[in-house]
Amino acid sequence: MTPIDFASLRREGLARVRRLAGGTWTDHNVHDPGITILEQVCYALSDLGYRAGYDMRDLLVRDGEDPYASLFGPDQILPTSPVTIADLRKVAIDVAGVKNAWIEPVDEPAAAFDAAHAEVSYADANASGTAPNPNVSAIHVKGLYRVALERSELEDVATATILSAVTRRLHGCRALCTDFQQIAVLEHEAVSLELTLEIGAVEDVTALLASVYEALAGYFSPAVRFYTLEEMLARGYRMDQIFDGPLLEHGFIDTFELARMNRRDSVRISDLIHALMAVPGVAAVKNLRFRTPDGRPAPEWLLAIDEDKTPRFDLEKSSIRLEKHGLRVDTGLAAAAQALFGKRALDASRPRGSAALGRDLRPAPG
């Protein structure tokens, strides 16, 4: 009996059926479902035996094409629909015009249950100032989320367009028994500073000043970066980790990096000093204070951010001075530094065009 002989495999299978179950299984005709299954197994074995005699390239190639063209790429077999809150957050950030997004479960009670009267009340679910009643317990709805979006200053996309696109994408992939209570674009709260820095020996003061702008803007409102497949591999991620979750249009987002980008509800002078001292070339922070809307220095070391807003560094209304040995060295460089800062921001923004071109892996020739 050869492995590709279907008839011999079928005869051998029937012989074993009769030997093992002949006392109870007596109908071995072709209409019997068990015989149908046996024939399918015989066909599969004969097909495997036939294919095993060929080279792998011959099995994969079609009409003289590249043999690897018949294989599914990692972007086709590894991604999944959004499962976690981080997955949904990535889907929202992938929309044009969105710089960052935060998704949090709604924890407010949706109703109250009165055990004494077996009644559910919706009007008193969020009532406050009343005496606690041991018979009344709050009912919390699971699977309800609130979405807050931060607009990108580098993309000219209308708020209504952003809301429509994010709503469509999130509702198109939300899981069963989940919903979004609110999807809102947050307003910006401009924060201006009065800053004097002592710098060390640097070759390009303009580039240093641009780096200072970049550090301040990144502290107030860090941008989520999209990476290419090659960049993610260089960061040490495996293919299954890179393609874990939904497939995005603009590249890949580092999940661990995204988790550290929490929404700021306050900004602190001490944190700003730490961010500025990390800029190469900065020797010391000589003066740093918040500025009031009318341009005066504010005494506070902590500035609270409105819960419906996101902080943004206001470069135009800030006063930034670079000194070396007590002498100012940035005179006339602000415009050039601001232009360089803008160019760097654009270069680091999400890639435009087809990200699918960089999603596949191709073996080296030969």
Side-chain angles (χ1 to χ4, degrees):
M1 180 184 68
T2 61
I4 61 173
D5 188 348
F6 174 82
S8 298
L9 287 172
R10 187 179 187 278
R11 286 195 298 270
E12 176 65 21
L14 284 174
R16 297 198 179 195
V17 166
R18 295 188 181 103
R19 184 170 65 253
L20 297 174
T24 56
W25 184 0
T26 59
D27 187 358
H28 300 151
N29 295 302
V30 293
H31 63 263
D32 186 83
I35 300 302
T36 301
I37 295 175
L38 172 64
E39 292 178 345
Q40 290 176 328
V41 172
C42 294
Y43 176 79
L45 291 173
S46 63
D47 183 64
L48 287 174
Y50 174 79
R51 291 173 180 268
Y54 285 86
D55 185 82
M56 182 59 69
R57 293 176 60 90
D58 295 326
L59 295 176
L60 298 178
V61 74
R62 295 180 298 183
D63 301 328
E65 297 177 359
D66 180 359
Y68 294 98
S70 301
L71 296 177
F72 291 108
D75 59 328
Q76 295 174 291
I77 60 175
L78 293 179
T80 66
S81 297
V83 177
T84 65
I85 291 181
D87 291 342
L88 291 172
R89 187 179 175 189
K90 290 180 182 179
V91 170
I93 296 172
D94 195 39
V95 173
V98 177
K99 182 177 184 179
N100 208 335
W102 298 272
I103 301 178
E104 57 183 17
V106 176
D107 195 37
E108 294 84 1
F113 176 68
D114 189 339
H117 301 89
E119 293 178 349
V120 176
S121 172
Y122 297 93
D124 300 331
N126 295 299
S128 60
T130 59
N133 189 337
N135 296 321
V136 177
S137 57
I139 300 176
H140 294 263
V141 177
K142 295 183 178 181
L144 193 60
Y145 298 96
R146 184 184 295 112
V147 182
L149 307 172
E150 180 181 7
R151 286 188 57 187
S152 171
E153 66 272 23
L154 302 176
E155 299 174 278
D156 186 17
V157 183
T159 299
T161 302
I162 294 175
L163 283 174
S164 175
V166 172
T167 300
R168 182 173 61 254
R169 291 192 64 176
L170 289 180
H171 279 283
C173 63
R174 65 183 176 91
L176 188 65
C177 297
T178 63
D179 203 354
F180 302 99
Q181 182 194 65
Q182 182 186 41
I183 301 177
V185 176
L186 302 175
E187 296 292 332
H188 296 137
E189 183 168 334
V191 181
S192 56
L193 302 171
E194 184 176 292
L195 171 65
T196 302
L197 296 175
E198 178 73 19
I199 68 172
V202 295
E203 295 182 0
D204 192 339
V205 178
T206 301
L208 172 58
L209 186 56
S211 297
V212 171
Y213 295 161
E214 191 174 0
L216 293 173
Y219 167 77
F220 287 112
S221 176
V224 179
R225 180 176 175 182
F226 285 83
Y227 295 93
T228 64
L229 177 59
E230 291 74 16
E231 289 173 332
M232 291 295 285
L233 290 171
R235 292 169 73 87
Y237 288 101
R238 303 189 310 268
M239 290 298 294
D240 60 316
Q241 295 173 320
I242 297 172
F243 285 94
D244 183 29
L247 192 64
L248 306 178
E249 295 179 0
H250 301 106
F252 304 91
I253 297 176
D254 189 321
T255 303
F256 295 99
E257 189 175 87
L258 181 65
R260 295 194 295 268
M261 294 184 179
N262 297 320
R263 181 178 162 195
R264 292 196 181 278
D265 56 5
S266 64
V267 290
R268 294 172 173 82
I269 291 293
S270 57
D271 293 338
L272 284 167
I273 293 175
H274 185 269
L276 289 166
M277 290 302 298
V279 177
V282 173
V285 179
K286 299 177 68 174
N287 175 55
L288 176 57
R289 288 185 289 183
F290 294 119
R291 272 189 160 189
T292 61
D294 58 1
R296 293 179 299 160
E300 293 83 9
W301 63 272
L302 182 146
L303 182 65
I305 304 299
D306 192 292
E307 62 178 7
D308 295 327
K309 296 182 179 181
T310 55
R312 177 156 299 181
F313 173 51
D314 191 342
L315 176 57
E316 299 296 332
K317 294 184 178 181
S318 294
S319 173
I320 298 179
R321 178 187 179 101
L322 301 185
E323 294 183 353
K324 187 173 183 180
H325 305 306
L327 300 176
R328 185 166 188 175
V329 294
D330 65 312
T331 303
L333 301 180
Q338 188 170 353
L340 179 58
F341 164 60
K343 182 181 182 302
R344 289 178 179 177
L346 282 174
D347 293 341
S349 64
R350 76 185 73 201
R352 289 303 171 189
S354 177
L357 296 177
R359 290 176 180 162
D360 199 6
L361 287 180
R362 307 292 294 174

